[in-house]
């Protein structure tokens, strides 16, 4: 829809259109234009086949606005449209509020000449008008009439380079450059004023001449370098020449900052801001010249960042010349005087089209005007407008302009701030609408095999898949297999198809790369697929390691390499370096995907290929220390086994392997005891694994002396850091009775502790443990009764029994009488009591 909502309701009675697309069988009327031949050719898009509705990218919208007089020139900036009429009036239209149209009077004298061109700054506030007699007028946004620029008298302006640093908060234009009809460049700064004796032009000073008075400066532009705010680039064009100027702004003394130069006055004898820059090009300035003479020429620039608040540096330019459109990129770096910022320059010749008669002769027509977008050149002719794609130089759009007798197409205006495009004739205005210009750019980049750019402009996964698939197949055909594998993994090409392609080419390395990237892209729920792919990768890694080691062994038999050739292919050093790289890659893979591997299958693969190092790494990684210790014991590497066991936290593993280590590595085991004792007692380590390991070493020693073990258990106290159940089982199985009794006691199982001591005929140990439940007198009495019963039954010595039981004040004679046989005489008790 046009921005001029109130003016652009096209009248179907007066205007219509007929659209044709390449490949269509017939012309299909779309909305009228029954009386006028208006033809639109649209080839700038290709259907992707993904259900998208391809709307035309380009289209002309007629502005239904009756001109009060003939239009001379038009400009649009920041959504403000200014039109100069041949009745000495200006029209000002705010495109965001089109209800009111301001009419501005051009104050002039009868002999001032005809207005030939207007220049509008990017902020949409400052307008300069020039006449063929060298009279110039200025209009500021709030004025009802123009003012004359007296210092500009005698100068016919042909181009202006506006200052991008001008802001909406600053009423001035800042420093600007002005190109003239006679090949001169001036610098000035304008600021509106209400004071009668004060001029809007702060100064007006010539800063350069191309020394060709018949060559107008048709294009002018300047840009600040991004890394140096005092270095500037200026581009100027005539109808046949293009100049580049690079240098520092300001005086040689450097006493002026860029912002201060707005107050430079010619009569104060100070230098204008750009004078220092142009002074380096006074003699033999370099320029590029193209043949041909045009009555007019234009210079345009494009930047993706065009809003006033965030204006970016120009990225590309286009120059309208006789032979064609001279265009290229701008690259700002460390250039200095005499250098160029222009890169990748090309000349687009104007398209030749069949003549309108029946001869079929191809004719080349030079456009009236040109505009530059990100991906297209817009060419305006006397009766039509065309769009040419920059990526393939093809005409992608053409539409006739409906003009009546006596009406002429004048030119094209571009709002560089809002990126809107306007076509104007002597009687009418049109907006050239551009919708979703980058829609098919991905396809064009794909055709040029510029895959990264194609991906950048893809709009949906289906388009990206098209690019990935084409890129992967292209690289595969170029035998760039590893890069192809990475990209195939991003595509939806069937897994088995890609895998088979690499297998048939015997490109195992590329297959490994493909599987790794594919595994990384599988979803979390694809557990079965992940296991299958990960297992396949394990097999490929193991085979690669074996292959490289075999190659290294074979290379070892070759002549010894020199220092210069040690890392050349086919040398032992080269292959060993490859082994290290693949091994590190494999370990990183195992660390990432060990949870997706089937452990028994993985162990079997590693063992079958003799990859002990990888076997042990995987077992350690998943915490399967049983496997690691078993391996080292099988290898009779007791030290390694002991080292791994010291890291284990599972008591069962301690119990399983400690005896064989004590038997085969007693010295190392004793050293371990000494070290771990130090760690526990001096460093106060509380790690249960350490305490369980030390307990195991004590309990499994070949000596029957339990002193060290008991000391360890007693030192642990109530806040023991070992596993009580494990400790009891370990001590029981190794016959550590005293330790078992202690552990029972620690667990609060006093009856079991006493019974175990009695079972081993250790009355003193039983007595000690019977007195431990100090707060539970019934339990203590029960324990002492057990001791009494044991003594009576075992010794059958009444006197000894009674004497021992005197150690407890809990039992009386009547408590123990049931334990004695019936034939015991009363005299035995008397003697004892006596």
């Amino acid at each position: 829809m046009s921005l001029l909502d109130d003016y652009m309701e096209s009248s179907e009675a007066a205007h219509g259109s007929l659209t044709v697309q390449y490949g269509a069988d017939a012309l299909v009327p779309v909305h009228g234009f029954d009386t006028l031949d208006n033809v639109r050719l649209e080839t700038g898009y290709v259907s992707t086949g993904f259900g998208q509705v391809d709307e035309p990218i380009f289209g002309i919208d007629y502005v239904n606005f009756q001109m009060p007089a003939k239009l001379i020139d038009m400009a649009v900036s920041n959504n403000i449209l200014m039109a100069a009429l041949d009745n000495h009036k200006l029209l000002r239209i705010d495109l965001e509020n089109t209800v009111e149209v301001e009419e501005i009077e051009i104050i002039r004298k009868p002999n001032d000449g005809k207005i030939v061109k207007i220049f509008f700054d990017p902020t949409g506030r400052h307008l300069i008008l020039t006449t063929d007699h060298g009279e110039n007028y200025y209009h500021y946004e709030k004025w009802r009439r123009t003012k004359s620029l007296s210092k500009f008298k005698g100068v016919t302006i042909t181009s202006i380079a506006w200052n991008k640093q001008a802001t909406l908060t600053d009423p001035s234009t800042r420093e600007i450059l002005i190109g003239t009809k006679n090949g001169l460049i001036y610098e000035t700064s304008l600021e509106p004023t209400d004071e009668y004796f004060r001029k809007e032009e702060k100064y007006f000073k010539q800063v350069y001449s191309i020394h060709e008075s018949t060559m107008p400066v048709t294009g002018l532009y300047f840009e600040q370098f991004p890394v140096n705010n005092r270095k500037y680039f200026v581009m100027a064009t005539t109808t046949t020449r293009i100049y580049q100027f690079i240098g520092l702004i300001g005086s040689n003394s450097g006493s002026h900052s860029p912002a201060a130069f707005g107050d430079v006055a010619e009569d104060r004898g100070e230098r204008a801001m750009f004078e220092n820059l142009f002074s380096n090009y006074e003699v033999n300035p370099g320029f590029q010249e193209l043949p041909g003479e045009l009555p007019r020429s234009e210079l345009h620039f494009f930047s993706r960042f065009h809003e006033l608040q965030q204006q970016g540096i120009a990225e590309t330019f286009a120059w309208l010349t006789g032979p064609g459109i001279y265009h290229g990129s701008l690259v700002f770096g460390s250039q200095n005087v005499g250098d160029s910022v222009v890169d990748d320059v090309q000349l687009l010749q104007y398209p030749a089209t069949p003549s309108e008669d029946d001869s079929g002769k191809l004719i080349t027509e030079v456009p009236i005007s040109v505009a530059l977008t990100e991906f297209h050149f817009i060419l305006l002719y006397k009766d039509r407008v065309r769009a040419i794609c920059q990526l393939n130089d093809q005409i992608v759009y053409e539409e006739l302009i409906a003009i009546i007798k006596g009406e002429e197409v004048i030119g094209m205006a571009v709002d560089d701030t809002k990126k809107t495009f306007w076509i104007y004739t002597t009687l009418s205005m049109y907006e050239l609408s551009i919708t979703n210009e980058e829609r098919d750019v991905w396809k064009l980049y794909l055709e040029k095999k510029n895959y990264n750019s194609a991906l950048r402009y893809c709009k949906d996964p289906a388009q990206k898949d098209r690019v990935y698939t084409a890129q992967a197949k292209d690289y595969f055909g170029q035998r760039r297999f590893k890069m192809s594998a990475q990209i195939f993994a991003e595509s939806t090409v069937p897994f088995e198809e890609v895998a088979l392609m690499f297998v048939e080419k015997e490109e195992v390395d590329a297959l490994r790369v493909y599987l790794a990237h594919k595994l990384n892209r599988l979803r979390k729920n694809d557990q079965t697929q992940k296991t299958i792919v990960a297992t396949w990768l394990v097999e490929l890694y193991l085979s690669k390691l074996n292959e490289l080691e075999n190659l290294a062994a074979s290379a070892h038999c070759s002549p010894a390499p020199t220092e210069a050739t040690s890392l050349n292919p086919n040398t032992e050093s080269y292959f060993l370096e490859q082994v290290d790289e693949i091994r590190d890659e494999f370990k990183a893979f195992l660390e990432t995907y060990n949870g997706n591997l089937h452990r028994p299958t993985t162990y079997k693969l590693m063992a079958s290929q003799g990859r002990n190092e990888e076997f042990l790494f995987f077992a350690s990684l998943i915490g399967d220390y049983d496997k690691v210790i078993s391996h080292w014991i099988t290898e009779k590497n007791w030290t390694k086994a002991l080292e791994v066991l010291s890291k284990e936290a599972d008591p069962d593993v301690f119990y399983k392997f400690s005896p064989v280590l004590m038997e085969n590595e007693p010295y190392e085991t004793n050293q371990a005891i000494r070290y771990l004792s130090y760690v526990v007692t001096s460093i106060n380590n509380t790690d249960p694994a350490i305490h369980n390991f030390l307990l195991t070493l004590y309990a499994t020693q070949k000596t029957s002396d339990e002193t060290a073990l008991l000391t360890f258990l007693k030192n642990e106290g109530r806040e023991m850091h070992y596993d009580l159940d494990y400790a009891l089982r370990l001590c029981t199985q190794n016959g550590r009775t005293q330790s078992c009794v202690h552990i029972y006691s620690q667990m609060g199982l006093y009856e079991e502790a006493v019974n175990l001591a009695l079972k081993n005929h250790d009355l003193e140990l039983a007595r000690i443990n019977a007195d431990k439940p100090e707060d539970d007198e019934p339990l203590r009495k029960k324990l002492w009764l057990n001791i009494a019963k044991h003594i009576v039954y075992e010794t059958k010595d009444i006197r000894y029994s009674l004497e021992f039981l005197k150690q407890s004040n809990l039992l009386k004679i009547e408590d123990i009488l049931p334990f004695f046989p019936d034939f015991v005489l009363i005299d035995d008790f008397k003697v004892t009591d006596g």
Side-chain angles (χ1 to χ4, degrees):
M1 179 180 291
S2 168
L3 294 171
L4 287 174
D5 296 331
D6 294 317
Y7 294 96
M8 299 172 64
E9 297 179 2
S10 301
S11 171
E12 292 189 2
H15 298 278
S17 68
L18 189 66
T19 300
V20 63
Q21 298 182 10
Y22 291 137
D25 296 329
L27 299 180
V28 181
V30 178
H31 28 41
F33 268 80
D34 298 328
T35 59
L36 296 171
D37 257 348
N38 193 349
V39 181
R40 175 182 300 177
L41 303 177
E42 180 73 61
T43 65
Y45 57 85
V46 180
S47 176
T48 59
F50 302 112
Q52 297 177 350
V53 177
D54 289 335
E55 297 292 338
I57 294 175
F58 301 95
I60 291 180
D61 293 319
Y62 171 74
V63 180
N64 191 19
F65 174 71
Q66 185 66 42
M67 290 288 180
K70 278 193 175 183
L71 186 61
I72 297 174
D73 199 13
M74 190 176 97
V76 186
S77 288
N78 199 26
N79 264 354
I80 304 295
L81 186 151
M82 299 292 290
L85 307 179
D86 69 350
N87 62 354
H88 313 303
K89 301 287 185 180
L90 281 174
L91 297 182
R92 183 181 187 275
I93 304 173
D94 184 347
L95 299 180
E96 293 182 352
N97 179 23
T98 57
V99 176
E100 297 181 4
V101 178
E102 297 180 45
E103 190 175 274
I104 299 160
E105 183 180 358
I106 301 174
I107 303 299
R108 58 185 298 279
K109 297 176 181 178
N111 61 347
D112 281 355
K114 296 180 180 180
I115 293 173
V116 291
K117 196 168 181 61
I118 65 175
F119 303 91
F120 203 19
D121 87 307
T123 67
R125 300 176 301 163
H126 306 278
L127 182 77
I128 296 176
L129 303 89
T130 191
T131 72
D132 56 357
H133 289 182
E135 296 295 334
N136 298 280
Y137 314 102
Y138 173 61
H139 176 265
Y140 186 64
E141 62 174 342
K142 299 178 181 179
W143 294 352
R144 301 295 300 173
R145 60 185 62 187
T146 63
K147 290 186 178 182
S148 177
L149 295 171
S150 59
K151 290 186 178 182
F152 288 32
K153 189 173 182 62
V155 173
T156 298
I157 301 172
T158 51
S159 58
I160 294 182
W162 298 100
N163 196 327
K164 293 164 70 172
Q165 295 183 16
T167 64
L168 294 174
T169 58
D170 182 358
S172 76
T173 62
R174 302 286 296 270
E175 302 80 10
I176 61 175
L177 294 176
I178 292 180
T180 69
K181 183 179 180 180
N182 57 351
L184 300 179
I185 298 177
Y186 290 84
E187 180 182 321
T188 188
S189 177
L190 301 178
E191 184 170 356
T193 177
D194 294 328
E195 299 178 21
Y196 182 77
F197 293 104
R198 186 178 177 187
K199 300 296 183 182
E200 277 70 26
E201 57 269 41
K202 293 183 179 181
Y203 63 99
F204 186 68
K205 187 170 186 179
Q206 180 183 329
V207 290
Y208 193 71
S209 171
I210 64 173
H211 305 294
E212 294 285 351
S213 60
T214 60
M215 282 190 178
V217 180
T218 58
L220 200 53
Y221 181 85
F222 67 83
E223 188 77 74
Q224 187 181 51
F225 271 69
V227 294
N228 186 342
N229 61 6
R230 290 192 64 236
K231 184 187 286 189
Y232 274 73
F233 158 76
V234 179
M235 181 177 282
T237 59
T238 68
T239 55
T240 58
R241 295 180 182 178
I242 182 169
Y243 294 81
Q244 294 186 65
F245 307 94
I246 298 174
L248 299 178
I249 59 169
S251 64
N252 293 328
S253 64
S255 60
H256 299 288
S257 65
F261 278 95
D263 297 323
V264 175
E266 184 178 2
D267 56 1
R268 289 165 55 190
E270 296 187 64
R271 308 186 74 181
M273 188 175 92
F274 285 98
E275 191 170 1
N276 186 65
L277 181 149
F278 284 110
S279 66
N280 297 306
Y281 294 88
E282 291 178 355
V283 180
N284 296 325
F287 57 82
Q288 179 77 29
E289 188 163 16
L290 296 179
E293 285 292 337
L294 288 179
R296 58 183 295 174
S297 177
E298 296 178 355
L299 179 65
H300 297 281
F301 293 80
F302 174 81
S303 172
R304 282 176 294 174
F305 305 99
H306 46 80
E307 294 292 338
L308 288 177
Q309 295 80 4
Q310 52 176 9
Q311 293 186 72
I313 294 175
E315 302 167 31
T316 57
F317 76 96
W319 174 35
L320 180 67
T321 71
I325 298 175
Y326 185 83
H327 63 98
S329 303
L330 301 178
V331 179
F332 294 88
S334 58
Q335 295 97 333
N336 290 306
V337 176
D339 294 336
S340 172
V341 301
V342 173
D343 187 36
D344 191 24
V345 176
Q346 300 176 54
L347 180 66
L348 173 67
Q349 295 183 343
Y350 301 120
T353 56
S355 61
E356 296 180 357
D357 56 31
D358 297 332
S359 66
K361 182 180 178 181
L362 295 177
I363 59 172
T364 300
E365 186 180 359
V366 178
I368 297 171
S369 182
V370 66
L372 178 64
T373 72
E374 185 172 5
F375 300 109
H376 295 87
F377 300 111
I378 311 300
L379 279 61
L380 178 66
Y381 296 88
K382 61 183 180 181
D383 62 350
R384 70 192 64 209
V385 61
R386 286 176 180 157
I388 297 179
C389 180
Q390 298 178 27
L391 301 179
N392 59 10
D393 296 343
Q394 299 296 310
I395 299 176
V396 296
Y397 162 78
E398 181 173 290
E399 185 168 353
L400 292 176
I401 301 172
I403 55 176
I404 61 176
K405 186 176 180 179
E407 182 180 10
E408 293 181 7
V409 174
I410 301 176
M412 188 158 40
V414 179
D415 185 345
D416 286 320
T417 303
K418 300 300 181 180
K419 289 302 175 189
T420 57
F421 300 82
W422 305 82
I423 296 169
Y424 53 98
T425 71
T426 52
L427 301 176
S428 306
M429 294 184 293
Y430 300 84
E431 182 180 6
L432 175 65
S433 60
I434 303 178
T435 306
N436 197 14
E437 181 192 9
E438 72 279 4
R439 181 186 66 201
D440 304 312
V441 168
W442 71 274
K443 184 65 178 295
L444 297 173
Y445 276 125
L446 178 58
E447 292 173 357
K448 297 166 70 74
K449 296 187 177 182
N450 189 339
Y451 301 114
N452 290 336
S453 297
L455 288 171
R456 188 164 66 247
Y457 289 100
C458 286
K459 299 296 184 182
D460 55 52
Q463 293 176 358
K464 287 185 177 180
D465 183 59
R466 287 268 300 272
V467 176
Y468 283 134
T469 301
Q471 185 180 14
K473 290 181 177 180
D474 182 24
Y475 286 176
F476 189 89
Q478 299 178 36
R479 303 188 64 81
R480 300 163 70 181
F481 294 114
K482 286 188 177 180
M483 293 185 67
S484 173
Q486 293 181 29
I487 300 165
F488 264 128
E490 302 287 337
S491 74
T492 59
V493 180
F495 175 85
E496 59 276 13
E497 179 181 333
V498 177
L500 186 59
M501 289 170 63
F502 290 119
V503 170
E504 288 178 345
K505 291 288 185 180
E506 297 183 354
E507 286 295 328
V508 180
D509 290 342
L511 177 60
R512 188 179 71 249
V513 171
Y514 173 69
L515 293 177
H517 281 78
K518 202 67 177 177
L519 177 61
N520 186 52
R521 290 180 57 81
L522 287 173
R523 296 170 301 179
K524 186 177 181 181
N525 296 332
D526 298 332
Q527 293 300 328
T528 302
Q529 293 93 321
K530 282 188 172 184
T531 299
I532 293 172
V533 175
T535 303
W536 193 357
L537 274 167
V538 169
E539 186 174 10
L540 293 179
Y541 274 118
L542 296 176
S543 298
K544 185 64 177 179
L545 287 169
N546 286 338
E547 176 191 345
L548 290 172
E549 288 180 354
N550 291 337
L551 291 172
S554 300
H556 179 70
C557 302
S558 303
T562 64
E563 183 177 350
T565 63
S566 61
L567 291 180
N568 287 346
N570 303 323
T571 63
E572 182 183 18
S573 300
Y574 171 79
F575 288 125
L576 290 177
E577 184 177 309
Q578 294 294 303
V579 168
D580 291 339
E581 289 181 6
I582 295 297
R583 181 180 287 117
D584 290 343
E585 185 181 322
F586 184 36
K587 288 182 177 179
F589 163 78
L590 291 175
E591 288 173 348
T592 304
Y593 296 106
N594 65 82
N596 300 116
L597 290 169
H598 183 247
R599 294 184 181 183
T601 302
T602 306
Y603 281 138
K604 186 176 181 181
L605 285 171
M606 292 177 173
S608 65
Q609 299 205 34
R611 305 305 308 182
N612 290 336
E613 181 178 343
E614 290 73 24
F615 181 97
L616 295 174
F617 177 83
F618 177 66
S620 300
L621 188 66
I622 62 176
D624 192 355
Y625 294 107
D626 193 318
K627 276 278 193 302
V628 181
I629 298 170
S630 296
H631 170 81
W632 290 125
I633 288 178
T634 302
E635 296 289 322
K636 296 186 178 180
N637 192 331
W638 316 113
T639 304
K640 285 282 189 181
L642 191 62
E643 180 183 327
V644 177
L645 187 61
S646 65
K647 302 174 184 177
E648 181 54 74
D650 186 357
D652 290 335
V653 178
F654 287 132
Y655 174 72
K656 180 178 179 180
F657 294 109
S658 292
V660 68
L661 292 175
M662 289 293 296
E663 180 179 350
N664 292 282
E665 196 68 14
Y667 175 77
E668 291 294 339
T669 305
N670 288 330
Q671 290 295 97
I673 290 174
R674 292 178 60 189
Y675 172 71
L676 294 177
S677 296
Y678 169 78
V679 169
V680 168
T681 58
S682 300
I683 304 181
N684 298 319
N685 181 282
T686 59
D687 188 346
I690 298 297
H691 286 255
N692 284 338
F693 187 35
L694 182 55
L695 172 66
T696 303
L697 296 178
Y698 277 131
T700 56
Q701 286 184 305
K702 292 185 177 181
T703 178
S704 60
D705 186 1
E706 296 186 48
T707 303
L709 176 57
L710 279 170
T711 302
F712 167 74
L713 294 174
K714 290 175 181 178
N715 287 341
E716 291 278 299
R718 288 287 180 183
E719 297 181 0
M720 71 288 293
H721 300 291
Y722 56 86
D723 188 296
L724 275 172
D725 291 332
Y726 169 70
L728 182 61
R729 186 168 72 254
L730 182 68
C731 291
T732 300
Q733 293 172 345
N734 284 276
R736 305 300 182 182
T737 303
Q738 296 180 58
S739 299
C740 286
V741 171
H742 176 81
I743 294 170
Y744 275 132
S745 178
Q746 289 290 85
M747 297 171 72
L749 303 174
Y750 299 109
E751 188 170 0
E752 286 80 354
V754 170
N755 290 340
L756 182 58
L758 293 176
K759 182 178 179 181
N760 288 274
H761 308 290
D762 192 336
L763 295 177
E764 184 60 25
L765 186 59
R767 179 191 66 78
I768 293 172
N769 281 275
D771 285 333
K772 283 186 176 180
E774 297 176 353
D775 298 332
D776 192 346
E777 186 171 317
L779 177 58
R780 286 171 54 212
K781 183 175 182 179
K782 179 180 179 182
L783 297 177
W784 273 103
L785 284 172
N786 288 344
I787 295 174
K789 182 177 180 181
H790 174 82
I791 295 174
V792 172
Y793 285 172
E794 290 293 327
T795 64
K796 298 183 174 55
D797 187 336
I798 297 174
R799 289 188 176 86
Y800 174 77
S801 300
L802 293 174
E803 192 66 32
F804 184 85
L805 293 174
K806 284 182 179 180
Q807 298 180 52
S808 172
N809 57 4
L810 294 174
L811 299 182
K812 299 178 181 178
I813 291 180
E814 52 269 27
D815 293 326
I816 64 174
L817 280 177
F819 303 137
F820 289 99
D822 296 338
F823 55 82
V824 174
L825 300 176
I826 195 65
D827 292 340
D828 295 327
F829 291 97
K830 290 181 178 179
V831 172
T832 301
D833 292 336

